[in-house]
Amino acid sequence: MTTLFGILKTNTKHLVCIALVCFVSFTCGCRRSSNNNRNANGSASTTGQVNGEQARREAQSLVEKGKELYKNDQDEQAAQAFEQAVRLQPEMAEAHLRLGMAYAALEKKDEAEESYKKALQLYKQQVEADPKDAAAYFYLGEAHSFLHHDEDAARAYRQATRLKPDDEEAFYQLGKAEAKLANYDGAAAAFQKALELDPDDSRASDGLEDARAGVQRIREGKKHAEEMLKQQQENENANGNINGNSNLRPRRTVNANSNSSKRPLPKRSPTKPF
C-alpha cells in the first residue's frame, strides 16, 4: 500500500509540473502574439503616416512643377501636373486652384469653374480651422476673384493684409477688387500701400493712376448731378412764379345785355333788293 501511495503521489507531482509548464508556455505564447499584433499595428500605422507624408511631398513637388510650366505658357503640361497632384492629394487646396488657372488658360471654362469651387471650399475650411492663416485668406480671395465674387474677394484680401501687413501682392489684389466694385478711394489706398512696399511694381503704379482717375470721375459726376438738381429747382421756382402772376391778372367781363359788340344792321332800301 505504501508503495502504491508513493507511486500515485509521484505521478500527481508529475502531472502538476506538466500542467504548470503548459500554462507558462501558453501565457508566453499569448504575450508574444499580443506583442506581435501590437508591433504589426504600429508598423502599419507608421507605414501609413510615411506614405501619407510622401504623397503630400510628391503632390507639392508636382504643384511647383506645374507652376513653372504655367509661367512658361506650357498650359497643357501644367494642367497635367496639377491633375496628378490632385489625384495624390484630393484635399490640397492649392492644387485645385492652380488646376483651375491652367484650365482657364486652356479655355476649359466649366472645368476651371469646378476646380475654383473646390479650392474655395477647401480654403474656407482652412481659415475656419486657423483664422490667423494669412496665406489661406489670400488664396481664398483668389478663388473668389476667379469666380467673380468681387465683394467676397475684397473681404478676403483685406483680411490677408491685416494679418500680414507687408504682403505687397495682397494689397495689389485688394486694389484690383476694390476697383471692380467702383470703390476707387479704397482702390487708390491699396495700390498706394503696394507701391510703398514695392516701388518698382508697375502694375500697382498703373492701378493707382486709374483709381485716382476714377475718384476724379466720381467727383465730377457728383458735381454735375448737384448742378443739374439746382438748375431744376430754379426752373421749377421760376415756373411757379409765372403761374402765380398769371393768376393775379384781372379777368375781362362781358355784359350779356350789351350790344356794343354787335355790328349795326343796315337799313333796307325800298328801291334796291336786300
Side-chain angles (χ1 to χ4, degrees):
M1 292 295 292
T2 303
T3 303
L4 179 60
F5 178 77
I7 292 171
L8 292 174
K9 186 175 181 181
T10 300
N11 290 338
T12 302
K13 288 181 179 180
H14 288 164
L15 290 172
V16 170
C17 290
I18 291 170
L20 288 173
V21 170
C22 291
F23 176 76
V24 170
S25 298
F26 177 76
T27 303
C28 292
C30 290
R31 288 180 179 176
R32 282 196 298 270
S33 177
S34 177
N35 290 335
N36 289 337
N37 289 336
R38 283 198 296 268
N39 292 335
N41 291 335
S43 298
S45 177
T46 302
T47 301
Q49 292 176 355
V50 170
N51 290 339
E53 184 61 31
Q54 182 178 357
R56 279 191 290 273
R57 286 198 300 267
E58 290 180 4
Q60 189 60 50
S61 177
L62 285 166
V63 168
E64 296 303 322
K65 176 183 177 182
K67 288 162 66 174
E68 287 300 318
L69 291 167
Y70 180 80
K71 288 179 182 178
N72 294 325
D73 295 327
Q74 296 175 275
D75 302 319
E76 188 69 44
Q77 295 88 334
Q80 291 173 2
F82 296 135
E83 286 169 349
Q84 292 177 36
V86 167
R87 283 193 290 270
L88 281 172
Q89 286 293 108
E91 302 304 307
M92 180 176 282
E94 185 180 5
H96 288 282
L97 183 68
R98 300 286 180 180
L99 179 57
M101 295 168 66
Y103 281 149
L106 294 169
E107 298 183 353
K108 296 181 178 180
K109 183 178 179 181
D110 293 338
E111 292 87 342
E113 186 172 347
E114 287 302 315
S115 294
Y116 291 146
K117 287 179 178 179
K118 182 61 177 179
L120 184 67
Q121 175 189 350
L122 294 171
Y123 279 122
K124 281 183 177 179
Q125 293 175 2
Q126 287 189 25
V127 298
E128 287 173 1
D130 185 4
K132 294 184 179 180
D133 190 342
Y137 270 108
F138 174 80
Y139 287 117
L140 177 61
E142 292 282 85
H144 276 304
S145 179
F146 293 142
L147 289 168
H148 308 292
H149 304 164
D150 298 324
E151 290 186 6
D152 292 325
R155 191 178 300 112
Y157 289 136
R158 197 176 297 116
Q159 184 62 16
T161 61
R162 292 192 187 107
L163 294 170
K164 193 176 180 183
D166 61 346
D167 190 340
E168 188 268 340
E169 185 66 21
F171 277 105
Y172 171 72
Q173 295 297 340
L174 174 58
K176 285 180 61 179
E178 296 285 20
K180 290 179 182 178
L181 295 169
N183 180 15
Y184 296 114
D185 286 316
F191 287 134
Q192 182 63 50
K193 182 63 177 178
L195 280 173
E196 291 174 6
L197 293 169
D198 183 5
D200 296 328
D201 190 344
S202 60
R203 304 171 306 159
S205 179
D206 293 340
L208 179 58
E209 184 178 349
D210 292 340
R212 286 174 174 171
V215 171
Q216 186 62 29
R217 287 196 303 273
I218 294 294
R219 288 176 181 172
E220 292 176 354
K222 287 182 178 179
K223 183 179 179 181
H224 179 69
E226 291 172 355
E227 291 175 351
M228 291 294 292
L229 179 61
K230 182 179 179 181
Q231 184 64 43
Q232 182 180 356
Q233 291 174 344
E234 290 176 351
N235 292 339
E236 290 176 354
N237 292 335
N239 291 334
N241 292 334
I242 292 173
N243 292 334
N245 292 333
S246 64
N247 291 332
L248 295 176
R249 292 177 181 175
R251 292 183 178 179
R252 189 172 60 181
T253 59
V254 178
N255 189 352
N257 296 324
S258 174
N259 294 323
S260 60
S261 61
K262 295 181 179 180
R263 294 180 61 185
L265 295 175
K267 292 181 180 181
R268 183 174 181 182
S269 172
T271 56
K272 293 181 179 180
F274 182 71

